[in-house]
Amino acid sequence: MATCDHLTHWLENPPVLSPRIQGCEECLAVGDTWVHLRICLTCGHVGCCESSKNKHASKHAHSRGHPLVQSFEPGETWIWCYIDQAILRGDRKLYTQVSPS
């Protein structure tokens, strides 16, 4: 099985976060659109995905050093680590080198 200390720590100590907003914070501020949403598991920032033209979730993660995001889409439960390129899916198994859209 793959390893990722960030995801392992999250599994042992899951934070209780509330999203600050129900859309991409930066896109809403400038009147832009997005494809899918991601929530930062460090601070609750909501940003748009890699398929969106602005990619605010990954920009936030890299600029703030917040490695984990979770899908903020209904019915999706996976968590992605930008640093280790690892994903924790609903089966709670870790997989590496699989980039989320």
Side-chain angles (χ1 to χ4, degrees):
M1 185 162 75
T3 61
C4 170
D5 290 339
H6 307 101
L7 288 168
T8 300
H9 178 75
W10 184 89
L11 280 169
E12 294 168 354
N13 304 292
V16 177
L17 293 172
S18 295
R20 300 189 299 218
I21 199 163
Q22 296 297 310
C24 175
E25 296 180 28
E26 292 86 354
C27 287
L28 286 170
V30 297
D32 216 338
T33 60
W34 58 84
V35 178
H36 299 288
L37 297 172
R38 311 293 179 237
I39 183 168
C40 174
L41 293 181
T42 301
C43 70
H45 172 271
V46 177
C48 55
C49 70
E50 292 300 294
S51 296
S52 301
K53 67 180 179 180
N54 295 307
K55 300 173 177 58
H56 288 123
S58 63
K59 289 178 181 176
H60 170 83
H62 296 298
S63 69
R64 302 288 168 90
H66 296 171
L68 301 178
V69 294
Q70 184 170 20
S71 175
F72 198 52
E73 296 298 316
E76 294 184 3
T77 60
W78 56 262
I79 299 169
W80 175 253
C81 178
Y82 284 104
I83 293 172
D84 295 317
Q85 301 288 291
I87 192 166
L88 180 68
R89 295 190 178 151
D91 60 8
R92 293 302 194 221
K93 292 182 182 175
L94 293 174
Y95 302 89
T96 57
Q97 304 301 319
V98 181
S99 181
S101 60

